Amino acid sequence: MPYPYVLLSAAVSLDGFLDDTGPERLLLSSPADFDRVDEVRASVDAILIGAGTLRADNPRLLVNSAGRRAARVAAGRPAYPLKVTVSASGDLDPAARFWHTGGDKLLLTTDRGADRARAAGIAADVAALGPDLDWRRALEHLHDARGVRRLMVEGGGTIHTQLLQQGLADELQLVLAPLFVGDPDAPRLFGPGAYQGGRLRLVETRRIEDVVLMRYEPTAPGTGPLPSAADRRWLALACDLADRCPPSDTAFSVGAVVVAADGTELARGHSREGGDPVVHAEEAALAKLGAADPRLAGATVYSSLEPCARRASRPAPCARLILDAGVRRVVTAWREPDTFVEAADGNGLLAAGGADVVVLPEYEGRAKEPNRHLLG
């Protein structure tokens, strides 16, 4: 199922702390950066915090600029984004400022937590997601039931950690403040555990008064059948590559990218690349790599169209080429229609060969775009 675009936002000290242990909240950002955060809040559909942050900070979580609120209303949106908190127990203070300021509020909780929150008179919509909290189910609910397309997550550290470890964060906006905390009991931004491998991609650095904003994107593919945020970004690139294909009335325009487990791009290709009228995208990409490249065993192939299972132009279809290369994970946007080959089932051939196949149908329209003339 589609998820919202998930943006993690946090400010930390030079030694990686979110706060100190004093009774008052430690202000890490500068005034200009607080205004930047307000601008980001105004751009999203929902803002989410965890129950621990709600209890510790008692935030209002508002768009403070009247001009930005007015711009939202002029665009047909509510003045304030939806405010969301997550609590398995539902044990929250009904008098907290979070519930009594701004616009709509939503509590994501368990079945048991929903009963507790409703009994306490929490002034919010309460969504029970089952016996346990699950981030994928929570994001699906926000996307499908609440129409959230961009979600800003403002903490705390446990939630940031969980979303990054599960590959569900599309972007990290991290502000580095020029001070030290030094208290081992103070809360840190990220906790221990198994994170996705590889390096994040730095997409922006910006000095804002005496703090520095750094924006990162994850690059490491997901694992197994579950999609990750990086999977969506790589598949979007494959769809962009399809636009580079020389036009054809007898073959689809397809783009493909091969990405190592650590997020390193290994190769890319597109249909009819290099003047070859019959080369396929996956074939063109794999041909740029050595057959014995050890990274292929852990790699993911991203293809805007389901890899072919049968073809007349070459001895081996792309699904077979992928399996023979040792790749065991494929992410695609669009199942091959019967335009040229009836009952094509490249995904089935891949699955039968032991590969995990992930289909992200939210990119189907993008993958079809350079092929509209073939689809009637």
Side-chain angles (χ1 to χ4, degrees), residues 108-147:
L108 300 177
T109 185
T110 60
D111 297 336
R112 182 178 60 182
D115 293 338
R116 186 171 194 170
R118 290 174 181 135
I122 295 292
D125 290 341
V126 178
L129 301 180
D132 301 297
L133 280 179
D134 177 88
W135 274 114
R136 292 181 183 272
R137 191 180 306 122
L139 293 176
E140 287 173 6
H141 178 85
L142 289 172
H143 184 280
D144 296 344
R146 302 304 301 238

Side-chain angles (χ1 to χ4, degrees), residues 286 289-293 296-297 301 315-328 330 349-350 353-355:
L286 289 170
L289 298 169
D293 192 321
L296 286 169
V301 168
C318 289
R320 175 50 53 193
L321 293 175
I322 290 169
L323 292 173
D324 289 348
V327 176
R328 291 298 179 266
V330 177
L349 177 58
L350 288 164

Side-chain angles (χ1 to χ4, degrees), residues 270-318:
H270 59 78
S271 304
R272 300 175 292 284
E273 183 177 334
D276 186 336
V278 297
V279 73
H280 287 192
E282 304 93 328
E283 178 186 19
L286 289 170
K288 297 168 185 172
L289 298 169
D293 192 321
R295 298 172 295 179
L296 286 169
T300 296
V301 168
Y302 297 88
S303 179
S304 60
L305 177 67
E306 172 186 20
C308 64
R310 300 193 302 278
R311 64 188 293 189
S313 58
R314 294 280 165 82
C318 289

Side-chain angles (χ1 to χ4, degrees), residues 211-248:
V211 304
V212 177
L213 167 68
M214 296 168 287
R215 292 178 52 234
Y216 293 94
E217 294 175 345
T219 62
T223 56
L226 293 177
S228 72
D231 285 335
R232 296 197 291 272
R233 185 169 293 108
W234 288 117
L235 186 57
L237 173 58
C239 292
D240 290 343
L241 291 171
D243 290 332
R244 301 185 184 183
C245 301
S248 173

Side-chain angles (χ1 to χ4, degrees), residues 3-6 136 163-171 196-201 216-223 226-238 257-265 300-302 329 331-332 358 360 362-363:
Y3 304 142
Y5 183 94
V6 177
R136 292 181 183 272
L163 288 169
L164 274 173
Q165 288 179 343
Q166 294 180 38
L168 297 174
D170 293 273
E171 179 181 344
Q196 287 187 291
R199 301 168 72 91
L200 277 68
R201 178 184 295 116
Y216 293 94
E217 294 175 345
T219 62
T223 56
L226 293 177
S228 72
D231 285 335
R232 296 197 291 272
R233 185 169 293 108
W234 288 117
L235 186 57
L237 173 58
V257 190
V258 185
V259 182
D262 66 356
T264 301
E265 180 181 330
T300 296
V301 168
Y302 297 88
R329 189 169 186 270
V331 179
T332 185
V358 181
L360 300 182
E362 60 266 38
Y363 289 91

